């Protein structure tokens, strides 16, 4: 059975779980084995299961070649706990699977997971501001308006026209484009673009849009320094200075000019452990529990590099500013450490890049209710982040430009409605410009003036046209 690419959409983690089980059951060789003088049909050794599943995961485009053998063993522990496999005596329910010669088999019942039933989120339609709509708390029905009666002479003095009785009128409100309106526009257009890139009919199955904070989007887009790192308005949410110093030390190794480095052997490993311990204490991952399904859906686009980058750009723009800043600093440090050949090995048994992924995946992405594929999905996403962090963690320029142009258009429309005469002077069209500025008559090209002076001449053949 060939593995399928599981694209974006709701319940992607569950779909991936079922996909792996089907592929594993179909591809795992079953043979006769002996154990303690007894023969068992249609079973396999634990080490054989690790070999086969590791091969399947590494060749599966939903996961990729960076899946380690240790991660494969952890997944098989999940399989044993969830009764995807059982030992030859029918025991299951514990995560005591080991990479050894113990015998296991598949149970006869189907181990596929049903899709979870989530409470339906109400669809949020973010409306653009209605310029004729009165402000909150103001109602035209509660405004006292009385009929005004004037004679024609008084009316003429006031308005240079002669009218008799003036009927009752209602106030017409014109609201200017406020900061709140602009934030709502940013949220609406950002979510609309994310939905389009993911190729979904609706974001409702992967995201509760009511929980998306429009202020966070605007702050992440505009409050940045020269390096593109978010600047926080609340300084109490900044990373502690000692953690920043430790991260700079490893990211810029060996040139840490602002630090006095101890000379003992293994100093860099102690610094790394300090950073791992700090981020490991977080109660919620940097990508937050709320956006888990969104980022898991983006993983279905990794075969389409440009779309995956754009989807992650937009998704990271939704994060709280303090989370986005921590993510930017952490992933940048991870990437620099991975490519730094001058840094001594941080582990005796694991490659530096693999160590980065294993150490920080969980603090970047995990679900609130622990999913069986959390570790593999997080490792896949973090690997892609490390390889493309400069693009992904920058503000999407195309989206920013389109939103700014739309806001400018709305501001011009509102200005035109409120002050039509001033608008026609400031932004004239070719027709209105000719009326407003008659002295600027356009000169016709000389060739046209010359052509008008001569009457129409019939066409005469010359010798050059004769045969």
């Amino acid at each position: 059975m060939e593995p399928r690419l599981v694209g974006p959409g709701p319940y992607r983690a569950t779909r991936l779980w079922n996909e792996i089980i089907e592929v594993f059951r179909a591809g795992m060789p079953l043979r006769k084995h002996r154990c303690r003088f007894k023969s068992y049909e249609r079973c396999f050794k634990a080490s054989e299961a690790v070999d086969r599943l590791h091969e399947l995961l590494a060749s599966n485009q939903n996961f990729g070649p960076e899946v380690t053998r240790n991660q494969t063993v952890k997944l098989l522990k999940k399989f044993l706990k969830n009764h995807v496999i059982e030992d030859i005596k029918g025991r299951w329910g514990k995560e005591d699977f080991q990479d050894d010669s113990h015998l296991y088999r598949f149970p006869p019942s189907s181990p596929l997971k049903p899709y979870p039933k989530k409470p339906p989120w109400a669809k949020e339609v973010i409306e653009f501001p209605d310029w004729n709509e009165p402000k909150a708390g103001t109602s035209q029905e509660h405004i006292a308006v009385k009929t005004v009666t004037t004679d024609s002479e008084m009316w003429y003095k006031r308005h240079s026209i002669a009218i008799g009785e003036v009927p009752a009128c209602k106030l017409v409100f014109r609201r200017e484009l406020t900061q709140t309106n602009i934030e709502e526009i940013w949220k609406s257009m950002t979510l609309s673009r994310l939905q389009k890139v993911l190729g979904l009919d609706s974001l409702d199955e992967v995201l509760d849009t009511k929980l998306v904070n429009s202020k966070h989007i605007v702050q992440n887009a505009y409050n940045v320094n020269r390096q593109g790192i978010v600047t926080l308005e609340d300084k109490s949410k900044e990373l502690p200075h000692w953690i920043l110093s430790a991260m700079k030390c490893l990211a810029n190794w060996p040139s840490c000019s602002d630090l006095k480095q101890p000379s003992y052997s293994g100093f860099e490993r102690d610094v790394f452990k300090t950073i791992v311990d700090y981020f490991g204490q977080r109660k919620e991952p940097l990508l937050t529990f709320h956006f888990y399904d969104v980022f898991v859906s983006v993983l279905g686009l990794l075969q389409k590099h440009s779309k995956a980058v754009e989807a992650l750009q937009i998704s990271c723009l939704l994060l709280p500013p303090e989370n986005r800043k921590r993510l930017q600093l952490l992933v940048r440090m991870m990437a620099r450490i991975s490519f730094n050949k001058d840094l001594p090995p941080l582990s005796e048994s694991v490659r530096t890049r693999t160590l980065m992924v294993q150490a920080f995946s969980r603090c970047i992405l995990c679900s609130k209710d622990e999913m069986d594929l959390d570790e593999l999905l997080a490792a896949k996403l973090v690997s892609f982040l490390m390889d493309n962090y400069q693009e992904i963690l920058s503000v999407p320029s195309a989206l920013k430009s389109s939103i700014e142009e739309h806001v400018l258009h709305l501001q011009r429309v509102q200005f035109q409605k409120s002050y039509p005469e001033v608008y026609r002077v400031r932004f004239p069209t070719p027709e209105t410009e000719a009326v407003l500025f008659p002295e600027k008559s356009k000169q016709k090209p000389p060739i046209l003036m010359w052509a008008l002076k001569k009457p129409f001449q019939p066409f005469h053949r010359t010798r050059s046209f004769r045969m």
Side-chain angles (χ1 to χ4, degrees), residues 383-442:
S383 295
F384 192 79
L385 273 174
M386 287 173 59
D387 293 336
N388 305 276
Y389 76 96
Q390 291 181 324
E391 289 182 273
I392 292 173
L393 297 177
S394 63
V395 179
S397 56
L399 176 66
K400 184 179 179 182
S401 298
S402 65
I403 295 176
E404 289 176 342
E405 289 174 4
H406 184 71
V407 170
L408 181 60
H409 168 72
L410 292 179
Q411 289 173 332
R412 284 191 173 186
V413 169
Q414 170 57 13
F415 184 80
Q416 181 181 15
K417 288 182 178 180
S418 301
Y419 310 100
E421 297 300 329
V422 178
Y423 182 87
R424 278 197 288 270
V425 174
R426 291 186 60 181
F427 308 103
T429 62
E431 293 77 10
T432 58
E433 188 175 9
V435 175
L436 292 171
F437 309 105
E439 67 279 2
K440 293 184 179 181
S441 58
K442 295 184 179 180

Side-chain angles (χ1 to χ4, degrees), residues 186-187 190-191 194 203 207 211-213 216-217 220 288 291 294-295 312-321 324:
W186 264 91
K187 175 180 176 179
T190 300
L191 294 179
L194 178 60
L203 289 177
L207 177 66
L211 299 181
V212 176
N213 192 320
H216 291 170
I217 302 175
N220 289 333
T288 74
F291 296 124
V294 175
F295 285 101
L312 285 173
Q313 273 186 329
I314 298 173
S315 301
C316 291
L317 206 60
L318 308 180
L319 297 172
R324 180 178 172 87

Side-chain angles (χ1 to χ4, degrees), residues 59-115:
S59 60
N60 190 319
Q61 52 189 337
N62 293 301
F63 299 98
E66 292 194 341
V67 176
T68 64
R69 189 175 182 87
N70 184 50
Q71 289 173 331
T72 306
V73 172
K74 289 182 179 179
L75 181 56
L76 283 164
K77 289 178 182 287
K78 302 286 186 181
F79 280 3
L80 182 60
K81 181 180 179 180
N82 289 275
H83 204 194
V84 177
I85 60 175
E86 62 185 19
D87 69 13
I88 53 175
K89 294 184 179 180
R91 294 174 296 194
W92 58 279
K94 296 182 179 180
E95 295 189 15
D96 54 359
F97 182 93
Q98 300 294 331
D99 190 356
D100 54 25
S101 60
H102 278 75
L103 296 180
Y104 293 88
R105 66 190 181 192
F106 292 116
S109 60
S110 174
L112 299 182
K113 284 186 176 181
Y115 293 115

Side-chain angles (χ1 to χ4, degrees), residues 7-12 15 191-207 293-298 301 307 311:
Y11 318 121
R12 185 172 186 270
R15 287 185 288 144
L191 294 179
S192 176
R193 182 58 189 170
L194 178 60
Q195 176 181 325
K196 184 175 181 180
V197 175
L198 290 177
L200 301 177
D201 295 332
S202 172
L203 289 177
D204 295 330
E205 296 291 350
V206 297
L207 177 66
D293 288 333
V294 175
F295 285 101
V296 170
S297 289
V298 174
L301 293 174
K307 279 196 172 184

Side-chain angles (χ1 to χ4, degrees), residues 364-383:
I364 292 178
L365 177 69
C366 69
S367 60
K368 188 174 184 179
D369 302 319
E370 186 175 350
M371 303 289 288
D372 294 314
L373 293 178
D374 270 359
E375 185 173 347
L376 289 176
L377 296 176
K380 183 74 172 176
L381 179 66
V382 170
S383 295

Side-chain angles (χ1 to χ4, degrees), residues 216-277:
H216 291 170
I217 302 175
V218 176
Q219 290 174 15
N220 289 333
Y222 290 103
N223 295 3
V224 296
N225 60 20
R226 293 181 180 180
Q227 289 76 37
I229 305 296
V230 176
T231 57
L232 303 181
E233 296 177 352
D234 186 354
K235 301 304 179 183
S236 66
K237 296 181 179 180
E238 295 278 5
L239 279 173
H241 177 73
W242 56 274
I243 280 291
L244 279 174
S245 298
M247 294 173 71
K248 287 180 181 179
C249 176
L250 293 185
N252 301 318
W253 188 279
S255 56
C256 305
S257 58
D258 59 333
L259 297 174
K260 295 181 179 179
Q261 303 175 28
S263 57
Y264 69 86
S265 176
F267 165 72
E268 63 282 348
R269 294 188 182 187
D270 289 344
V271 174
F272 179 69
K273 185 178 183 302
T274 299
I275 300 171
V276 173
D277 290 343

